[in-house]
Amino acid sequence: MATQEELVKRWDGFLFKIEERFNDSLKYAEEACKEQLVETDYEYQTVMRSWGGMKAQMYSLIEKIDETWDAKVGPAMEAVGDFASDESDKAYDLRHKLIDALEKFQRKLEGELSQLFYDHAIQIADKKAQCAQCDADMEIQKNIFRAQYITCTYCNAVNTIEPETKFVKIGWGIVDNIAAMRMNEGFEKMQKEVNAIQEYRGKAPEAYWSTYEDAYFAYWDSSFKERIKLNADAADRLEQDMGRKRKEFENYKDIQTK
């Protein structure tokens, strides 16, 4: 039978390898997704499907921590002594560390991929905007992702411009990812405050909720307004979006404080 020292050493080695493989997977995912975006001529959804598969594999890797503890490590340590509880904390800590890292990575990667797609689609849209009457080049509005009515500055003809499909797709979530990436500092502050509340397991002081509420609405207000800079049509939804976030906050607080 292995000694306590041997079991702890093996366990530490296993956790180290899990974290190492996880970090390697993040690096690979970033390189692979960005390369695929270019290689597929910016087929964004194709890349997102690939990323979804990679992400699922990373979650499976994280789950191996608890699976290995429950099936092998925990029972082996309990058979030797009373140190298993402290060692199980290592599994808990690493699992949550990796989940947090994956969520942050996803936010960053999807924002960067969206920015690359946005830049590409804008260039295509510029090349295809021409007057139907005199063939003069026209500039479409870069923050409206639908049919546009543009008057030619040369012949005064009013043109109905149907933007290229990739340009239209910018308004289907691309701008949301970009806005989220740009407002990441506010998101991190919001998450810090909600994490502080969760540590109290439903018994957080009211002051904690007040601080979280301020951070929550500051983030969503800035994020929605950043989205409006990219997509003018989103301005009409600002009040509705903030109202939805108000309900989400109130529902979350009700659940956590009951």
Side-chain angles (χ1 to χ4, degrees):
M1 180 180 292
T3 65
Q4 175 178 340
E5 182 180 356
E6 290 171 335
L7 289 172
V8 171
K9 184 177 181 180
R10 291 177 194 169
W11 178 230
D12 287 343
F14 170 79
L15 295 178
F16 176 82
K17 288 180 180 178
I18 288 288
E19 186 168 8
E20 187 176 48
R21 284 180 58 190
F22 176 84
N23 290 331
D24 287 344
S25 296
L26 292 185
K27 182 179 179 181
Y28 170 79
E30 180 174 7
E31 294 174 352
C33 287
K34 289 180 178 179
E35 288 177 3
Q36 186 181 38
L37 189 64
V38 176
E39 292 171 354
T40 60
D41 192 27
Y42 292 82
E43 288 296 328
Y44 188 83
Q45 295 306 320
T46 298
V47 177
M48 286 297 101
R49 285 193 292 270
S50 296
W51 161 234
M54 296 176 200
K55 183 170 60 174
Q57 291 178 346
M58 291 182 210
Y59 274 118
S60 294
L61 181 63
I62 294 171
E63 291 303 317
K64 284 185 179 296
I65 298 172
D66 285 345
E67 291 172 0
T68 302
W69 172 265
D70 292 338
K72 300 178 180 179
V73 181
M77 288 186 176
E78 289 169 359
V80 173
D82 60 357
F83 60 96
S85 178
D86 290 339
E87 294 303 315
S88 70
D89 288 344
K90 294 179 181 178
Y92 177 89
D93 291 343
L94 181 59
R95 185 175 188 277
H96 284 273
K97 176 184 178 181
L98 299 187
I99 289 175
D100 184 56
L102 182 53
E103 291 175 350
K104 289 181 179 179
F105 176 82
Q106 176 175 342
R107 189 177 182 84
K108 176 176 178 292
L109 177 63
E110 292 183 358
E112 291 176 348
L113 290 171
S114 294
Q115 186 68 62
L116 290 170
F117 180 89
Y118 176 93
D119 294 342
H120 173 75
I122 289 290
Q123 291 179 349
I124 293 176
D126 276 345
K127 293 177 182 178
K128 292 195 173 183
Q130 292 180 313
C131 177
Q133 181 166 299
C134 70
D135 289 331
D137 291 334
M138 296 186 300
E139 184 175 355
I140 68 170
Q141 289 184 249
K142 304 299 193 303
N143 60 351
I144 296 179
F145 308 104
R146 51 176 168 76
Q148 300 183 24
Y149 303 99
I150 304 175
T151 300
C152 177
T153 57
Y154 292 93
C155 69
N156 292 321
V158 177
N159 290 259
T160 301
I161 303 297
E162 294 286 350
E164 198 269 353
T165 301
K166 287 181 178 177
F167 180 81
V168 174
K169 286 182 179 180
I170 292 176
W172 298 356
I174 300 295
V175 292
D176 298 75
N177 291 339
I178 295 173
M181 178 179 65
R182 293 179 179 177
M183 297 296 107
N184 189 63
E185 183 176 346
F187 179 83
E188 293 289 343
K189 178 174 175 54
M190 179 180 69
Q191 287 301 107
K192 178 183 177 182
E193 302 304 338
V194 75
N195 289 342
I197 287 174
Q198 290 173 348
E199 289 179 2
Y200 278 86
R201 300 179 183 274
K203 299 179 180 180
E206 185 60 32
Y208 278 54
W209 280 103
S210 179
T211 302
Y212 172 50
E213 182 175 8
D214 289 343
Y216 179 91
F217 287 107
Y219 166 71
W220 284 111
D221 181 69
S222 62
S223 183
F224 288 142
K225 287 179 179 177
E226 187 67 23
R227 183 180 65 178
I228 290 170
K229 294 178 184 178
L230 297 164
N231 183 0
D233 286 337
D236 295 335
R237 308 200 305 270
L238 178 59
E239 186 175 346
Q240 180 181 349
D241 286 334
M242 289 302 295
R244 173 168 51 85
K245 288 302 175 182
R246 167 64 62 182
K247 289 182 179 179
E248 289 178 6
F249 175 85
E250 292 173 350
N251 289 340
Y252 176 75
K253 185 177 181 180
D254 286 344
I255 291 171
Q256 294 298 314
T257 55
K258 282 184 179 179

